[in-house]
Each structure stands twice: as C-alpha cells, then as structure tokens.
Amino acid sequence: MPTTVVDPNKIEYGLSSIYFAPLEKTTAANGTVTYTYGTPVALVGAQAMTREPQGESSSFYADDSVYFTTTTNNGYTGELTFIKMTDQIRQVIFKEEVDATTGLMTERADVLPAEGALLFQCRGDAKNTRHVMYDVTFGRGSEENNTKEDTITPTTATITYTAIPIEHNGKQITKGKATEGATCYADFFTSVVLPGTASE
C-alpha cells in the first residue's frame, strides 16, 4: 500500500541546486533495460526552468455521452535557462572536448548530447522540495551576444530538454520528489534515488 503524505507547502518558488547524473542503459537478451546512473554533477547559474506535460486525452462515447476517458503520459518537454553557457555545461551536457595540446574547446557534430537524470531544488513556504526527472535528453543550446551599452546586461543561454519515463520494478516512472524530512532528502544530490532503494 503506497504511503500517503500531506504536502506542507501552500506555494512553491525558486530554483537552485541543479544537478545532472549521466545515464547508461543496458538491454538484456529478454528486452529488460537496466538503468545505471553516474554521480550527479552540479550545474551552476540556473535562472529558470519550464516543464510542459506531453500526452493526449481521448474520450470514447456511448449512449450519447462520454463513456470512457483515457490520458497518456509521455513525460515532459521544457527549457532550462542559464546565466551563460558555462564550459562545464559544454563538457558535461554537450560533450565538448578540450584539446590537450592547444587548450581549444571544440564542439563535435558527430556526438550526441548526454542523457541522464536531472535533479533540482525548489523552495516552499514551509519546506524545500527536491525533484528528479529520471531520463532527460537535451537539444542544442541557444545563446545570444549583444554589444555593450551604458549598462551591462548579461545575456542568457537556453537549453531545450525532453524527459521520458523509465521502467522500474514493473512501473513506468518519469519523475520523483522529496520534501525536507523525507528519508532520502539529505543525500538527494549524492546519487539518483529510485523507489525502494536507499541513497548511496
């Protein structure tokens, strides 16, 4: 029987402590997929994050009324906005390489962005909440540069992402969250926590 919790917060706001944990998928001969996460790495400079649910609702009619309604959950799409495209983001997310001889950082067209879990924290009026999306892929980031005027206005970098479900213990799960006081809260950013498992 699932545990019932009461949300202590009336509102949620803020965005901090964004982490990314690389994901490796291994498919067995019987089709079972094993998910192995690397150690979460902090991504600094986050300004905003959007999450748009993906899926459709379908209604079936009988006897001149709605007989049955179904909704599919295909995860989320959204955008991450950072104060700048840091070298860390370029290397961790987009796998850009630094040449040992020249120190030149290069973007490779034949390498896909990283796939993994995205972790972050939001504040609440009563308690903070930490979130994880288990399987996230990224689109190429957009940047903007402007000439200097009387005042300096930093430009931002925006990265699109898609979050899809993973299969865990026979269930399709897309995301999870833990509020202050939960067993996994303190070590939430140490390793990716899945239902029924303890933080490492």
Side-chain angles (χ1 to χ4, degrees):
M1 188 74 177
T3 301
T4 301
V5 296
V6 177
D7 193 335
N9 294 318
K10 295 180 180 179
I11 60 171
E12 189 172 85
Y13 60 95
L15 175 66
S16 64
S17 303
I18 291 218
Y19 284 75
F20 174 74
L23 169 61
E24 181 179 343
K25 297 178 183 178
T26 305
T27 304
N30 63 358
T32 302
V33 180
T34 301
Y35 300 87
T36 304
Y37 293 96
T39 301
V41 177
L43 303 177
V44 300
Q47 279 197 321
M49 180 180 188
T50 64
R51 297 185 296 282
E52 293 291 336
Q54 297 299 299
E56 295 182 354
S57 294
S58 300
S59 296
F60 301 90
Y61 292 80
D63 299 325
D64 289 338
S65 64
V66 176
Y67 186 76
F68 177 73
T69 299
T70 181
T71 301
T72 59
N73 183 341
N74 296 329
Y76 297 84
T77 59
E79 292 183 345
L80 277 167
T81 302
F82 290 88
I83 193 66
K84 64 169 291 188
M85 190 76 74
T86 64
D87 288 348
Q88 182 197 39
I89 293 174
R90 295 181 190 278
Q91 290 182 284
V92 172
I93 300 298
F94 297 107
K95 301 180 183 178
E96 295 191 13
E97 300 175 350
V98 178
D99 181 68
T101 302
T102 63
L104 185 70
M105 180 178 287
T106 57
E107 174 186 344
R108 291 184 52 179
D110 58 341
V111 174
L112 294 175
E115 179 178 6
L118 193 63
L119 306 88
F120 56 96
Q121 177 173 293
C122 298
R123 295 184 179 184
D125 57 293
K127 295 183 178 182
N128 293 343
T129 304
R130 292 175 174 174
H131 301 260
V132 56
M133 291 187 288
Y134 287 108
D135 191 350
V136 175
T137 55
F138 298 91
R140 297 174 64 196
S142 62
E143 301 176 79
E144 180 181 353
N145 296 99
N146 298 314
T147 188
K148 177 182 173 296
E149 299 179 352
D150 293 337
T151 59
I152 297 176
T153 303
T155 55
T156 58
T158 301
I159 303 171
T160 59
Y161 73 87
T162 300
I164 62 174
I166 65 170
E167 184 170 346
H168 177 69
N169 290 342
K171 300 177 181 179
Q172 295 284 321
I173 60 173
T174 306
K175 62 185 179 71
K177 72 172 187 174
T179 304
E180 282 184 271
T183 304
C184 65
Y185 182 86
D187 296 324
F188 197 83
F189 298 126
T190 302
S191 61
V192 176
V193 180
L194 289 159
T197 62
S199 299
E200 296 178 359

